[in-house]
Amino acid sequence: MPFYSPVQSARAFRRTTRYDEISWNDFSKVVDAFHGRIDDWYILPTKALIHHAEGGHYAFAVMALNCLLIDTMSQYVYGALSSSRSLFKNFVRARIPKLAGPLPTKIDQPVSPHNQNGDPLTTYEDVLYTGFRCGILHQAHVPLYGVLYGEPTPFSFQTSGVTQYASGADCPTVICHPKEVFNEVETAFLQYLDELLDPDPQFNTLRQLFKAKFEDSFGVPINTTI
């Protein structure tokens, strides 16, 4: 049971809609309201940054929003109440395969409180989570094995010439184009919404997982009947 409950007449669910203006027993309207909220928070700000900036200067903020939206979607898809490394990477592998897969060459990492064995990065989803997601959101930068704003593909890979280890040896580098990543993330989001509204019973579990996360986050019981 949710710990908090909104005063529905006093709170905005999205920019133009209060809680009490939404028919919570109509699942299609719940999904529509959720779509609008995600648009307001993530999709439209990202598109505005992409549209109005030149030369990649929007890249850092766009990539932060990309990672936040992946975190958000992973929680709803798996019915989780908070984000985690495994949820993030599992979601990318399952839902955004163009952002996943093995690296041509592993990237070594130092021993740290979060990586006590010094395990290397071996997949693109590893780099997306550890380098771009955690780097931007927790360290205020992308580690040197990552670069923002490269070729017009989500990721490209350089084995040498961009980064070195402190020993002087070549360190592979993953180059990310935030606009192209956003295109893949938005496509995954729209596909998820389509599945939520598809009456095929194969999506019943997906709707129940959405309900678990939604009700915990917003304190409003919803009906998932299509």
Side-chain angles (χ1 to χ4, degrees):
M1 181 176 180
F3 190 82
Y4 302 104
S5 179
V7 177
Q8 295 197 29
S9 62
R11 293 189 66 96
F13 185 80
R14 56 171 301 197
R15 184 165 46 92
T16 59
T17 308
R18 294 192 315 272
Y19 276 69
D20 64 353
E21 296 176 307
I22 299 168
S23 299
W24 299 112
N25 286 325
D26 185 331
F27 188 65
S28 66
K29 291 181 178 175
V30 171
V31 173
D32 183 63
F34 175 73
H35 186 178
R37 186 178 176 106
I38 297 300
D39 270 354
D40 288 349
W41 283 7
Y42 302 107
I43 304 292
L44 296 178
T46 302
K47 288 182 175 179
L49 286 166
I50 290 171
H51 179 73
H52 291 293
E54 297 180 357
H57 295 299
Y58 60 79
F60 195 85
V62 169
M63 200 60 198
L65 287 166
N66 284 336
C67 293
L68 285 170
L69 185 49
I70 293 172
D71 259 338
T72 297
M73 287 191 290
S74 71
Q75 292 176 53
Y76 282 92
V77 166
Y78 297 115
L81 306 187
S82 61
S83 63
S84 73
R85 178 194 303 263
S86 61
L87 284 178
F88 185 102
K89 294 198 296 185
N90 287 344
F91 178 85
V92 172
R93 283 191 290 267
R95 294 273 178 166
I96 323 179
K98 288 186 179 179
L99 305 184
L103 297 174
T105 306
K106 68 180 177 67
I107 299 174
D108 291 333
Q109 291 192 99
V111 173
S112 71
H114 301 292
N115 186 15
Q116 296 183 1
N117 297 320
D119 294 328
L121 304 171
T122 61
T123 66
Y124 283 102
E125 60 267 32
D126 285 342
V127 175
L128 181 60
Y129 181 83
T130 301
F132 292 102
R133 187 264 191 198
C134 294
I136 291 173
L137 300 179
H138 297 314
Q139 300 173 354
H141 74 105
V142 176
L144 291 177
Y145 58 78
V147 171
L148 286 171
Y149 197 71
E151 299 296 324
T153 58
F155 290 129
S156 56
F157 190 85
Q158 294 286 333
T159 57
S160 63
V162 180
T163 309
Q164 294 180 324
Y165 295 111
S167 66
D170 288 327
C171 174
T173 306
V174 174
I175 302 170
C176 167
H177 197 301
K179 178 182 176 181
E180 300 303 321
V181 171
F182 170 72
N183 290 340
E184 298 299 325
V185 172
E186 184 184 26
T187 296
F189 174 61
L190 295 175
Q191 176 64 35
Y192 174 56
L193 295 179
D194 286 345
E195 291 176 9
L196 286 175
L197 294 174
D198 189 327
D200 192 311
Q202 69 173 307
F203 299 115
N204 287 348
T205 297
L206 193 73
R207 283 185 277 274
Q208 290 303 314
L209 293 170
F210 173 87
K211 174 182 172 71
K213 169 62 179 173
F214 189 96
E215 292 184 347
D216 183 80
S217 293
F218 302 119
V220 178
I222 62 172
N223 184 347
T224 59
T225 302
I226 296 293

